[in-house]
């Protein structure tokens, strides 16, 4: 099984912008930690990471990697609330998709409380910081093993 962690707009700026919401760690700092945890607990599962600030690149990545043994953990960033294109892509995927957010989107501005993708995912984790990623990976493995 391959789990693709897909990061959308501005998530390349983690550790630099709005640390009160997103924490002090960059993707480059957190990826090895997630991979180490995964290798220890799930050695037969591979993690792949992708980040883009361009909507079409996110759509292409999702569509190009939609395979039966794959799953997606997606943090779309602001695309969550604005991208019909990404939502349409997620709606058409055969692979499981779980949405994750570092910040507690439901406790923030009103426009952040809605997700265009949520109706097409198997769940959403919001507000647990990087622990949400670990929980999301566990959930996707569990859902995949049931099929």
């Amino acid at each position: 099984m391959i789990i693709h962690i897909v990061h959308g707009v501005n998530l390349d700026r983690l550790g630099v912008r709005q640390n009160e919401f997103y924490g002090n760690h960059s993707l480059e700092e957190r990826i090895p930690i997630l991979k180490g945890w995964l290798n220890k607990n799930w050695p037969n599962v591979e993690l792949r990471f992708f980040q883009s600030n361009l909507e079409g690149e996110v759509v292409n990545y999702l569509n190009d990697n939609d395979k039966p043994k794959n799953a997606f953990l997606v943090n779309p960033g602001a695309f969550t609330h604005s991208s019909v294109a990404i939502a349409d892509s997620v709606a058409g995927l055969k692979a499981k998709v779980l949405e994750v957010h570092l910040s507690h989107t439901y406790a923030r501005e009103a426009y952040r409380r809605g997700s265009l993708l949520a109706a097409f995912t198997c769940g959403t984790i919001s507000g647990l910081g990087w622990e949400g990623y670990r929980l999301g990976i566990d959930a996707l493995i569990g859902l995949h093993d049931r099929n």
Side-chain angles (χ1 to χ4, degrees), residues 70-89:
N70 289 354
F72 296 98
L73 185 63
V74 179
N75 183 340
F79 289 145
T80 305
H81 329 289
S82 65
S83 179
V84 173
I86 293 173
D88 283 349
S89 174

Side-chain angles (χ1 to χ4, degrees), residues 50-120:
F50 177 79
Q51 188 281 324
S52 181
N53 293 322
L54 303 175
E55 184 178 42
E57 288 183 0
V58 174
V59 168
N60 287 341
Y61 187 87
L62 292 168
N63 293 340
D64 290 347
N65 291 285
D66 186 26
K67 296 178 175 64
K69 292 193 175 193
N70 289 354
F72 296 98
L73 185 63
V74 179
N75 183 340
F79 289 145
T80 305
H81 329 289
S82 65
S83 179
V84 173
I86 293 173
D88 283 349
S89 174
V90 169
L93 297 175
K94 294 176 185 76
K96 296 272 189 225
V97 180
L98 195 143
E99 185 177 345
V100 65
H101 297 281
L102 292 163
S103 70
H104 187 0
T105 57
Y106 303 101
R108 295 187 59 192
E109 303 91 342
Y111 72 89
R112 293 189 192 274
R113 295 179 195 146
S115 169
L116 297 176
L117 285 73
F120 312 112

